[in-house]
Amino acid sequence: MNDNIKRLSRLTAILTQLQTKKILTASQLAIKFSVSNRTIYRDIKALEESGVPILTEDGKGYYLMDGYRIPPIMFTESEANALITAEQLILKNKDTSFVKEYSEAINKIKSVLRYSTKEKVNMLSNRVVFRYNTDNNRTSHYLSTLQLSLTNFNCCEVEYFSNEKKEFTKRIIEPFALYNTQENWILVAFCQLRNDFRAFRLDKIQYLKVLNKQFEPHKMTLQDYFEMCKS
């Protein structure tokens, strides 16, 4: 590979890194691509001169201007196959919103595939089967909404059916984490009613409203929560 091709490949890879990370230093990029910091400075300048809006935050690094997106990147056939296999798994998921959002995302990905690759992944999608939830049951609808509430620190009001007490309760919760048991999605949230963390099965949430009220991010990790449950 000659130097020009190597540099073009590195420039494309730097753009990809900048789009997937919030902020990156020259040193981080230099280590990743096994080049000097000076080479990265030249690469960043070349990208800026080509019209890419790269901004600099003193003492922190580089980032892309908010809203800027690079054109779709071509997927290899193996990468496309991995995405199609994941699609078949997600289609068996029991949350309506998750299936809908992933299906829309994968359709956008399929639209940028080369025609020959597209034909192959379509064939593969008809020949990959996951043998559970064979009836494609949908038991919850709120996963996508809760994911957004979790990452934006929005409180939610929920009406929840307790299997233990066989009753409905209204609560204000602070979404913290989500995990899947194959049978159900579980939300870990701080419950203001109980003043403690609780686990909520999404299929038992009868009503959910995202409130225009934010909460302070919780300091503990999900692993901390699991350790707390053991004690």
Side-chain angles (χ1 to χ4, degrees):
M1 186 183 291
N2 66 42
D3 289 344
N4 287 334
I5 294 174
K6 282 174 66 177
R7 191 184 187 208
L8 180 59
S9 176
R10 188 173 65 249
L11 289 173
T12 302
I14 289 172
L15 260 180
T16 302
Q17 287 294 305
L18 287 170
Q19 181 157 295
T20 55
K21 304 284 185 181
K22 189 172 182 180
I23 194 163
L24 285 166
T25 66
S27 297
Q28 288 172 322
L29 291 167
I31 291 169
K32 181 167 185 63
F33 298 109
S34 301
V35 295
S36 67
N37 282 13
R38 183 176 296 179
T39 297
I40 294 297
Y41 298 146
R42 286 199 296 264
D43 288 345
I44 293 293
K45 185 177 180 181
L47 289 168
E48 290 173 332
E49 289 174 349
S50 70
V52 178
I54 298 175
L55 304 179
T56 306
E57 188 168 339
D58 290 342
K60 291 191 176 180
Y62 303 107
Y63 63 99
L64 286 176
M65 181 184 291
D66 192 36
Y68 179 79
R69 292 291 180 269
I70 62 174
I73 296 168
M74 286 289 122
F75 292 94
T76 66
E77 186 176 342
S78 294
E79 291 168 340
N81 287 345
L83 290 166
I84 294 304
T85 302
E87 179 189 26
Q88 298 309 305
L89 176 61
I90 287 167
L91 289 175
K92 296 297 182 183
N93 197 272
K94 293 187 176 182
D95 187 88
T96 305
S97 65
F98 187 39
V99 173
K100 176 179 178 292
E101 296 295 343
Y102 190 89
S103 296
E104 290 179 359
I106 204 74
N107 284 338
K108 290 178 183 177
I109 290 170
K110 286 178 180 177
S111 71
V112 303
L113 296 177
R114 291 187 295 269
Y115 183 75
S116 59
T117 304
K118 196 177 299 187
E119 281 191 320
K120 292 176 181 178
V121 298
N122 284 336
M123 180 178 74
L124 183 65
S125 68
N126 293 322
R127 300 190 187 184
V128 173
V129 175
F130 288 90
R131 301 286 302 268
Y132 73 91
N133 192 18
T134 53
D135 295 328
N136 292 327
N137 293 322
R138 305 287 183 240
T139 58
S140 64
H141 316 282
Y142 298 119
L143 180 62
S144 293
T145 301
L146 287 166
Q147 286 173 328
L148 290 171
S149 299
L150 189 158
T151 56
N152 291 289
F153 309 113
N154 284 112
C155 292
C156 295
E157 180 182 41
V158 298
E159 185 174 294
Y160 188 74
F161 179 75
S162 171
N163 269 350
E164 185 180 334
K165 296 184 178 180
K166 304 298 180 186
E167 65 180 12
F168 291 95
T169 57
K170 280 191 177 180
R171 307 159 185 243
I172 305 297
I173 61 172
E174 302 170 7
F176 171 69
L178 290 151
Y179 64 93
N180 185 261
T181 64
Q182 290 194 350
E183 287 302 316
N184 292 290
W185 278 98
I186 308 295
L187 168 70
V188 178
F190 183 82
C191 176
Q192 295 184 2
L193 177 66
R194 306 301 184 200
N195 196 35
D196 200 359
F197 283 91
R198 291 288 188 269
F200 301 91
R201 277 177 42 173
L202 264 60
D203 62 331
K204 298 300 180 183
I205 296 177
Q206 307 300 307
Y207 165 84
L208 181 144
K209 178 183 179 183
V210 179
L211 302 178
N212 190 25
K213 175 186 175 185
Q214 291 189 302
F215 59 88
E216 286 294 320
H218 301 288
K219 303 298 183 185
M220 71 176 186
T221 66
L222 183 55
Q223 188 58 43
D224 291 335
Y225 169 78
F226 288 137
E227 291 297 325
M228 185 175 69
C229 292
K230 290 178 184 176
S231 60

